[in-house]
Amino acid sequence: MAKSIDITDLDIYYGDFKAVEGVNMTIKAKAVTAFIGPSGCGKSTFLRSLNRMHEVIPGARVEGKVTVDGQSLYDSAIDPVEVRRRIGMVFQRPNPFPTMSIYENVLAGNRLNAKRMPKATADTIVEKSLRGANLWNEVKDRLGKPGMGLSGGQQQRLCIARAIAVEPEVLLMDEPCSALDPISTAAIEDLIHELKSDYTIVIVTHNMQQAARVSDDTGFFNLKAAGQPGHLVEFNPTKTMFTTPDNPDTEAYISGRFG
Amino acid sequence: MTALLAPSTLARPRLPRWAPVVVAVAALAVAGLISLLFGWSWIALLVVAGLLYVFALPLWSRVLEGPRAATDRLMTHLVWGSFVVVCVPLLWLLILVVQKGAPVINGHFLTTSMRGVIGSMPGGILHALQGTIVVTLAASIIAVPIGLMTAIYLIEYGRGGRLARVITFLVDVMTGIPSIVAGLFALALLVMFFGPAFRAGIGGAIALALLMIPTVVRSAEEMLRLVPSDLREASYALGVPKWRTIVKVVLPTAIGGIVTGIVLAISRVIGETAPLLVTAGYNDSMNGNLFSGRMTTLPVYIFNQYKTPGATPLGAHAADPPGYARAWGAALVLIVIVMILNIIARIIGKIFAPRY
Amino acid sequence: MSLTASPEQTPTGPPESDSGSPARRSARLGDRIFAGAALGAGLLIMVVLAGVFIFLLIQGVPGLSVDPSTYGQGFDNFWSYVAPLLFGTIFISILALIVAVPFALAVALFISHYAPRRLATPVAYVIDLLAAVPSVVYGLWGGRALAQALKPVINWLGDYLNWIPLFKGPASPNGQTALTAALVLGVMILPIITAISREVFAQTPRLNEEAAIGLGATRWEVIRLAVLPYAKSGVIAGIMLGLGRALGETMAVTMVYSSSPKFTLNIIGDTSPQTIAANIANNYSEATPDKQHVLIAAGLVLFAFTFAVNFIARWAIGRGERNLAR
């Protein structure tokens, strides 16, 4: 199920503005890859280009190649809707559908493909996904209640459950803990550890400790100057990154000398 | 589950890029053929071709891309199609008013009344313009102070209180008063005092004021709410009394938005017909006196010319009766006035746009 | 009066200015007058609205018991006169809604989600301007141009679909029918419904839309999942406001066709349902004082009914807001 992603010479533009330049990397399957860097360095934009989410902004386009399992994401034969189905996403702030119950929230993605599924199948998916997101025990008695009634951390885990309910090959997380308190953050980090055995996970974070805690590989993005495109400074196993980085800029950033 | 069974490929069969063009050409061809067979007009041809296109492409997509993509395409087509359909009456109306109205408008049309005009003699709208200006001005003089002070009460004094909530509710109710009911109210009021045959501009002004007040209250309320409370507190801290704070600090800050709201309210009521029909009536001559005698406004003039268009002049049997021509001319003038008011409102709104 | 924020209580005032000084007194007097004026304006609105009801009652109640001949042939009391009018008002307005709502919502979606941004802004502006076109101009267009253009359609309906009660016919020869009026009303209320719906569609939280996109939803599925449920109460409110406008609209109906009060579903014939507002406008100029009372009473019925519709609309908005706040 889990797939690796190869990125070659990727440039991302918004209209005439080049937001990200010349990224090359291989994201390993069944591992956690983290992107760190100062704000505005294009790490979120880059993450979104991995499932073509950035295309919702008019004028966004990419040059270069992103391949998943040998298939180029930006090939003209590729359906972006299918890409997003296979490469799930969890967002900065929890965003359950406000008018849906917890149960329906989990199934929202599955319902797109199969409007009518047997109740038993639906129940199985909901339980499996909520268990997968470490939320089952907290909500199993109130599945019919609105998803908005949960706490922030629970909502974020509900969103993770919703994302894994469609069994994606890759899970992208865009600063998933930035709107959460420390306890909820710890719960999500534990969850990321567990999910790693089934999914390829890519996470953007502005919290270096979090990157150090959860990831196997880390990429450091930076800007040469304001108004310049962001670029990948260094991509290495997390251990190397935080002990003996190749690039002096990385070391400066990690040791807190700027950014 | 489904994902396990699905082939592990991101590529889905998709309609080729040229599919819409092909379907469009085919739809036009089929519709053209049918039209030729049955001798339809080009309008029918376009309608049929449009319908064919809207449904044929999703059908193809359903076969090739599956039901989800097909639904998406169908909805996209329906949304775009609706937009095109809606444009038809709207453009038609505007073009028609310009096309029929423009030839009528000249110096004479704008500077004479209908006094003594019979048949196809050239008449004008001067009395109606005068009536419109007088009545609308009077309505504004009544409505603006009431509306503005009410908004000040709601924001500055009554904040959240029970009375403020009741007034807000009543303003909402007023928004929903049908314009003819406003006219009947003004009429009932005047008839009580001056007898059943009384008709004068003031009745129209009262009715229009009733229709204006809620718009003025709403927009002024919105604007006052936008004034940051720091400004008020700064002024209180200097020892300025509350009323002077409102007059000198709060109102000037919000003035652009308030004026925009007032101008928009005027542009709304200036085209009202029904309330004026029952209160101010119709008159062929100039009448600048708000309190005595019937007074024509532009919308009522249009209605009157439309209802009694007169006979088509002899020898010009293809032409419209003269009243219709005058109605179109007056309609164009009215639309231009409304548009100008709207543009003025926009410009004022832009100039005084809040900068905090 | 709440003067809690007024400077008298603020400790920052200069210490020597005791509240008895003339300047202070005039400031307080100014405050009183101004606050009184503001309150007065608010109260005036209550009085005016009560006045609308009272005056319409005073002038309308006599209309309930005038000589039956005043109502016109076939009506022996006020209610038998006003009932078909109320029916006609609701019937024509609902036809207008049926025409307008699908298009209005589609155009609102077009502006908020489908159109390229360069097109969306001018389209939204034009739609707003169309809401400002006076109803008398719509009436002129409907009575002259649209009626003319609809003639063949109405004839066709009368010939081939006359088994449907709506199109029973015989088709009116000049195209000036209740169907024409319903279409004109539909065109008139469309900008109102579009304006409100477009606003609520555009307010859909970006987060929810992204959630749907991230799940692999197509554009339509994003709208179905994230936009429509969120916008439901706002859209209903917009529709109700459009209905309120249609119920009270006078000119567009008066100018397109004339008829007398009658219970009928036939909208393409010469005898069609008539609306309250148009009936008032049609009969006003030659009304006797008694008939005037009758017409004012009919206006009161219209007022009560539109009031109810607007009230339900607001209740729907309030309920929707509570639902989302949960």
Side-chain angles (χ1 to χ4, degrees):
Chain A
M1 288 284 296
K3 298 279 163 59
S4 62
I5 309 175
D6 292 297
I7 297 112
T8 351
D9 295 330
L10 191 75
D11 299 335
I12 307 174
Y13 296 84
Y14 290 123
D16 294 331
F17 175 67
K18 200 179 201 180
V20 177
E21 184 177 53
V23 177
N24 286 289
M25 68 167 73
T26 298
I27 294 168
K28 289 204 283 279
K30 296 198 178 186
V32 179
T33 305
F35 299 148
I36 55 171
S39 41
C41 67
K43 57 192 189 300
S44 279
T45 300
F46 174 66
L47 183 80
R48 283 165 173 250
S49 74
L50 298 183
N51 74 343
R52 299 183 65 167
M53 269 299 284
H54 70 297
E55 286 175 5
V56 299
I57 295 162
R61 65 197 162 83
V62 302
E63 281 169 17
K65 238 182 163 178
V66 179
T67 50
V68 176
D69 198 23
Q71 295 179 75
S72 170
L73 286 193
Y74 288 92
D75 201 274
S76 65
I78 300 289
D79 182 359
V81 166
E82 188 60 18
V83 169
R84 294 175 199 137
R85 220 296 274 127
R86 301 289 183 83
I87 302 177
M89 188 145 191
V90 176
F91 298 84
Q92 203 163 350
R93 297 180 48 193
N95 53 2
F97 296 115
T99 49
M100 287 184 194
S101 65
I102 294 173
Y103 188 91
E104 287 302 322
N105 256 298
V106 175
L107 284 177
N110 305 61
R111 293 260 193 241
L112 294 176
N113 273 307
K115 264 191 200 110
R116 274 178 290 273
M117 63 176 92
K119 179 88 171 72
T121 318
D123 288 346
T124 319
I125 294 173
V126 170
E127 181 171 349
K128 188 172 159 226
S129 311
L130 285 172
R131 277 191 195 283
N134 280 344
L135 191 61
W136 175 251
N137 288 328
E138 292 159 64
V139 300
K140 65 181 176 213
D141 301 322
R142 46 169 169 160
L143 293 174
K145 293 270 160 54
M148 295 297 280
L150 301 173
S151 75
Q154 288 173 325
Q155 284 187 24
Q156 192 62 300
R157 277 180 282 152
L158 176 60
C159 293
I160 294 174
R162 181 177 64 190
I164 61 180
V166 292
E167 306 194 350
E169 288 148 11
V170 179
L171 203 53
L172 307 178
M173 296 185 168
D174 188 359
E175 302 194 18
C177 303
S178 65
L180 304 180
D181 59 85
I183 294 172
S184 306
T185 301
I188 303 270
E189 285 180 9
D190 289 345
L191 176 58
I192 291 173
H193 266 297
E194 289 168 25
L195 289 173
K196 191 166 87 169
S197 51
D198 292 320
Y199 299 96
T200 305
I201 294 175
V202 187
I203 178 170
V204 163
T205 173
H206 57 217
N207 178 337
M208 275 175 285
Q209 285 72 38
Q210 185 169 62
R213 282 193 298 266
V214 301
S215 70
D216 303 297
D217 291 325
T218 301
F220 169 52
F221 284 78
N222 202 358
L223 293 168
K224 286 199 181 80
Q228 294 281 317
H231 63 111
L232 180 65
V233 177
E234 182 172 348
F235 185 69
N236 261 324
T238 303
K239 227 177 237 163
T240 318
M241 212 56 179
F242 282 87
T243 50
T244 53
D246 298 345
N247 193 302
D249 285 350
T250 315
E251 187 171 10
Y253 183 75
I254 285 171
S255 55
R257 257 179 279 156
F258 83 99
Chain B
M1 253 140 280
T2 44
L4 286 172
L5 300 173
S8 175
T9 166
L10 294 166
R12 279 285 181 92
R14 302 186 79 190
L15 286 186
R17 244 173 240 281
W18 40 262
V21 183
V22 170
V23 173
V25 171
L28 266 177
V30 170
L33 204 66
I34 301 175
S35 316
L36 276 181
L37 280 177
F38 294 93
W40 287 353
S41 68
W42 60 273
I43 297 180
L45 185 153
L46 281 183
V47 170
V48 171
L51 283 175
L52 276 176
Y53 178 75
V54 163
F55 291 100
L57 192 64
L59 211 66
W60 185 6
S61 156
R62 196 184 163 85
V63 175
L64 196 66
E65 300 176 320
R68 286 180 58 199
T71 313
D72 188 48
R73 278 185 195 272
L74 179 65
M75 293 319 292
T76 306
H77 283 189
L78 289 180
V79 164
W80 274 87
S82 301
F83 167 67
V84 172
V85 169
V86 165
C87 283
V88 170
L90 300 177
L91 290 179
W92 181 8
L93 173 100
L94 292 179
I95 291 170
L96 197 68
V97 171
V98 173
Q99 191 190 3
K100 293 236 178 193
V104 182
I105 296 175
N106 53 38
H108 186 79
F109 187 68
L110 296 174
T111 54
T112 41
S113 70
M114 290 297 287
R115 188 182 185 89
V117 175
I118 39 170
S120 55
M121 281 168 65
I125 57 168
L126 187 63
H127 60 308
L129 279 176
Q130 184 198 31
T132 291
I133 291 168
V134 170
V135 169
T136 313
L137 213 60
S140 312
I141 289 171
I142 302 170
V144 170
I146 298 179
L148 194 53
M149 289 308 278
T150 304
I152 290 174
Y153 174 77
L154 290 177
I155 295 298
E156 304 290 335
Y157 292 98
R159 267 212 160 153
R162 171 175 290 211
L163 183 61
R165 280 208 305 275
V166 170
I167 291 174
T168 306
F169 173 75
L170 292 180
V171 170
D172 282 351
V173 170
M174 274 176 108
T175 320
I177 293 182
S179 62
I180 190 145
V181 172
L184 287 178
F185 158 69
L187 184 84
L189 183 76
L190 294 177
V191 160
M192 289 262 291
F193 297 109
F194 304 106
F198 184 83
R199 299 284 185 283
I202 184 68
I206 293 173
L208 294 192
L210 191 67
L211 296 170
M212 264 182 88
I213 287 174
T215 326
V216 175
V217 175
R218 279 296 190 70
S219 60
E221 209 186 334
E222 207 98 315
M223 289 305 135
L224 291 177
R225 193 170 289 142
L226 285 180
V227 177
S229 51
D230 308 6
L231 274 181
R232 297 186 181 90
E233 279 156 18
S235 174
Y236 297 150
L238 290 172
V240 181
K242 182 164 184 165
W243 74 278
R244 287 188 63 86
T245 303
I246 294 171
V247 174
K248 296 276 174 188
V249 178
V250 177
L251 285 183
T253 314
I255 192 72
I258 292 174
V259 174
T260 303
I262 291 171
V263 175
L264 283 178
I266 291 174
S267 84
R268 273 289 134 78
V269 298
I270 209 168
E272 281 294 348
T273 319
L276 290 150
L277 202 60
V278 296
T279 52
Y282 181 78
N283 182 350
D284 278 341
S285 315
M286 305 284 291
N287 174 13
N289 188 343
L290 202 55
F291 299 96
S292 137
R294 293 169 178 250
M295 186 182 263
T296 309
T297 60
L298 212 42
V300 174
Y301 175 91
I302 297 170
F303 177 67
N304 198 273
Q305 293 299 323
Y306 172 82
K307 276 286 171 182
T308 52
T312 310
L314 285 171
H317 49 83
D320 274 346
Y324 288 149
R326 287 194 284 260
W328 286 113
L332 179 56
V333 173
L334 184 59
I335 286 195
V336 168
I337 292 174
V338 171
M339 297 295 149
I340 288 175
L341 284 172
N342 269 283
I343 290 166
I344 289 175
R346 284 219 142 201
I347 292 171
I348 295 173
K350 277 251 166 67
I351 293 176
F352 291 94
R355 291 188 203 89
Y356 29 80
Chain C
M1 215 119 311
S2 101
L3 289 172
T4 45
S6 63
E8 279 91 338
Q9 279 91 348
T10 46
T12 45
E16 70 271 31
S17 75
D18 63 307
S19 61
S21 79
R24 272 290 166 203
R25 231 177 300 146
S26 84
R28 197 185 288 168
L29 186 68
D31 262 343
R32 283 233 183 103
I33 293 173
F34 196 77
L39 178 66
L43 292 177
L44 189 62
I45 285 193
M46 301 175 76
V47 172
V48 165
L49 209 60
V52 171
F53 243 118
I54 292 167
F55 282 109
L56 289 180
L57 271 181
I58 293 175
Q59 290 291 311
V61 165
L64 301 183
S65 53
V66 294
D67 187 74
S69 65
T70 318
Y71 299 120
Q73 262 188 328
F75 305 111
D76 41 348
N77 65 47
F78 177 74
W79 300 112
S80 72
Y81 171 75
V82 86
L85 284 174
L86 187 59
F87 159 78
T89 306
I90 298 169
F91 181 50
I92 302 285
S93 301
I94 286 180
L95 285 178
L97 274 191
I98 291 172
V99 175
V101 168
F103 287 105
L105 297 187
V107 172
L109 277 179
F110 179 77
I111 295 169
S112 69
H113 283 83
Y114 280 86
R117 206 172 294 174
R118 223 170 291 160
L119 191 59
T121 322
V123 168
Y125 183 51
V126 167
I127 299 278
D128 283 350
L129 275 187
L130 285 163
V133 171
S135 56
V136 69
V137 179
Y138 278 111
L140 190 60
W141 167 73
R144 300 287 301 150
L146 184 64
Q148 191 70 24
L150 279 182
K151 265 194 222 170
V153 177
I154 287 167
N155 279 329
W156 186 85
L157 289 173
D159 287 346
Y160 296 101
L161 293 183
N162 52 19
W163 46 272
I164 300 174
L166 290 178
F167 309 126
K168 192 150 164 253
S172 166
N174 56 9
Q176 301 188 334
T177 63
L179 174 66
T180 320
L183 287 178
V184 176
L185 276 183
V187 173
M188 283 180 68
I189 61 177
L190 183 132
I192 300 171
I193 303 175
T194 298
I196 294 173
S197 311
R198 144 174 88 84
E199 217 134 284
V200 289
F201 289 157
Q203 278 167 5
T204 312
R206 191 95 200 103
L207 286 172
N208 288 327
E209 283 185 39
E210 288 197 334
I213 297 169
L215 284 173
T218 61
R219 178 153 49 177
W220 170 245
E221 285 162 348
V222 171
I223 289 168
R224 226 191 51 217
L225 273 176
V227 179
L228 294 184
Y230 182 85
K232 201 165 75 185
S233 66
V235 168
I236 291 175
I239 292 174
M240 295 298 269
L241 287 182
L243 176 63
R245 172 88 194 265
L247 289 171
E249 178 48 43
T250 315
M251 302 323 291
V253 179
T254 310
M255 292 171 77
V256 170
Y257 75 105
S258 50
S259 181
S260 46
K262 194 170 192 312
F263 278 111
T264 169
L265 292 176
N266 183 359
I267 53 168
I268 62 164
D270 282 327
T271 52
S272 300
Q274 175 69 314
T275 71
I276 295 181
N279 187 58
I280 296 171
N282 279 338
N283 292 305
Y284 218 85
S285 44
E286 54 263 16
T288 60
D290 270 359
K291 184 81 176 187
Q292 235 179 55
H293 290 308
V294 173
L295 294 177
I296 289 178
L300 193 58
V301 172
L302 175 63
F303 182 29
F305 192 74
T306 43
F307 175 82
V309 168
N310 284 312
F311 190 82
I312 295 170
R314 295 209 189 280
W315 175 76
I317 299 173
R319 205 182 60 145
E321 277 166 2
R322 272 199 302 283
N323 274 351
L324 282 179
R326 261 195 318 207

